[in-house]
Amino acid sequence: MSCSPNASHSPIFLLCGFSRAAFPHGFLFFLFLTIYLTTILGNVTLVVLISRDSRLHSPMYYLLRGLSVIDLGLSTVTLPQLLVHLASGYPAIPAARCLAQFFFFYAFGVTDTLIIAVMALDRYVAICDPLHYALVMNHQLCARLLALSWMVSVVHTMLHVGLILPLYWLGDAGGHVNLPHFFCDHRPLLRASCSDIHSNELAIFLEGGFLMLGPCALIVLSYARIGATIFRLPSAAGRLQAVSTCGSHLTMVCFLYGTIIWVYFQRSSQNTQDQDMVAAVMYTAITPLANSFVYSFRNKDVKGALCRLLRQERVNS
């Protein structure tokens, strides 16, 4: 596609990803509203419990609280706008707001993947070197790792925003450009552009691939060592407890990284726009929802903290 003189840096994008949906917009509005409110409830509950209960003031829960805050941001970047568009029936978004959404979505999303890798490192130290766990994984180190994750994510996002800013899009007579997606994601923006996007594609596969493979390698190596350590444990009860501790995290790792790799690291001819959008729903809506419940319902410490909080509230009332 070549750009004509009528192409623009700042068109109005129409996020028409659900325009051909098999379900009516009313049903989709209710579905995503339920998902969003449940996500807010679950993650806010985790943040409150970890902040208030002294028994949860350990590095693992410090990282989990950081993950919950990021999941709140990730879902809030995309779902409220989707709800407005479903309710109004007019899914328009100006270019400036579209790029702002792109920036915050990428910043929260990349930080999410990095913190999950840090959590894998935490589980590795806890299981493979428990005697030095308190010394190695202290709150100061966790705070530095969280700050580093944010810094890397913001720099990464600014690079890709900088590569998108010079692009042109050719709209219709009213200056509208259709994006077959429900938020301003990387692939739909590039597909719709009439500019040369080779540098953008190269950045996704090289810089983005390196940023994805690094945490993936850390997670794989951590869990390989964890698996070997669990296998050597003498008691079946000890092995079961270790598997239970890591099972939730490993499940969410596979879910999150699998959908992200599916969307961003395949050639365009190998996947369809509908498949991209389904995968995007999984990591923008379902993963933040699932994280809070997987880490709470499968964790006796969090359930105990919730029971203590509810008892305290009943006594105070």
Side-chain angles (χ1 to χ4, degrees):
M1 183 189 298
S2 59
C3 295
S4 72
N6 296 325
S8 172
H9 278 305
S10 55
I12 296 175
F13 294 103
L14 297 178
L15 300 174
C16 52
F18 285 107
S19 61
R20 297 182 291 107
F23 300 101
H25 282 190
F27 171 80
L28 292 174
F29 177 86
F30 178 77
L31 174 64
F32 284 109
L33 178 63
T34 303
I35 290 174
Y36 181 59
L37 293 179
T38 308
T39 300
I40 296 297
L41 175 63
N43 284 288
V44 168
T45 300
L46 265 181
V47 171
V48 170
L49 289 176
I50 295 171
S51 299
R52 293 187 55 175
D53 197 307
S54 60
R55 303 184 193 187
L56 300 182
H57 290 178
S58 66
M60 180 180 74
Y61 294 110
Y62 184 87
L63 295 172
L64 180 56
R65 182 176 61 182
L67 181 65
S68 294
V69 171
I70 291 166
D71 283 339
L72 286 170
L74 185 61
S75 58
T76 301
V77 166
T78 55
L79 293 187
Q81 178 185 265
L82 172 61
L83 293 172
V84 170
H85 289 169
L86 290 173
S88 66
Y90 182 60
I93 179 171
R97 206 166 77 202
C98 182
L99 286 178
Q101 185 188 50
F102 173 84
F103 175 87
F104 285 107
F105 166 73
Y106 247 59
F108 281 116
V110 174
T111 308
D112 200 354
T113 61
L114 295 176
I115 290 183
I116 284 180
V118 173
M119 292 175 71
L121 178 64
D122 172 81
R123 292 299 83 206
Y124 162 74
V125 177
I127 293 175
C128 299
D129 194 10
L131 296 179
H132 296 94
Y133 177 74
L135 180 64
V136 175
M137 294 301 297
N138 52 58
H139 284 85
Q140 290 77 16
L141 177 61
C142 291
R144 293 191 188 102
L145 290 174
L146 287 176
L148 180 62
S149 298
W150 273 109
M151 289 174 57
V152 170
S153 176
V154 169
V155 171
H156 165 82
T157 303
M158 289 177 66
L159 167 66
H160 287 279
V161 170
L163 289 172
I164 283 181
L165 282 174
L167 300 183
Y168 283 91
W169 289 270
L170 183 61
D172 57 19
H176 298 93
V177 175
N178 287 333
L179 291 184
H181 211 50
F182 66 95
F183 69 97
C184 293
D185 201 2
H186 211 163
R187 286 292 189 188
L189 285 169
L190 295 183
R191 287 194 188 108
S193 175
C194 58
S195 301
D196 183 4
I197 60 171
H198 285 97
S199 59
N200 303 76
E201 296 277 4
L202 191 63
I204 290 176
F205 279 96
L206 294 183
E207 187 269 344
F210 176 79
L211 190 60
M212 183 64 60
L213 289 177
C216 272
L218 176 62
I219 292 170
V220 170
L221 291 174
S222 297
Y223 275 98
R225 291 293 304 274
I226 288 171
T229 302
I230 291 175
F231 184 75
R232 291 197 300 267
L233 291 176
S235 68
R239 289 194 295 270
L240 183 61
Q241 181 180 2
V243 169
S244 177
T245 301
C246 298
S248 302
H249 181 253
L250 190 57
T251 299
M252 299 315 300
V253 164
C254 295
F255 189 77
L256 176 64
Y257 275 87
T259 53
I260 290 175
I261 290 172
W262 171 264
V263 172
Y264 294 106
F265 296 98
Q266 294 190 76
R267 295 180 62 86
S268 297
S269 61
Q270 291 179 320
N271 56 70
T272 67
Q273 294 171 351
D274 290 341
Q275 289 172 331
D276 282 359
M277 199 170 70
V278 170
V281 169
M282 300 303 285
Y283 66 77
T284 59
I286 305 303
T287 299
L289 170 67
N291 274 341
S292 60
F293 288 94
V294 166
Y295 288 119
S296 58
F297 288 136
R298 290 177 58 88
N299 189 303
K300 63 179 182 179
D301 294 332
V302 174
K303 288 188 287 186
L306 179 60
C307 292
R308 287 190 294 272
L309 179 62
L310 293 176
R311 283 198 301 267
Q312 182 181 352
E313 292 298 326
R314 282 198 297 267
V315 170
N316 293 338
S317 61

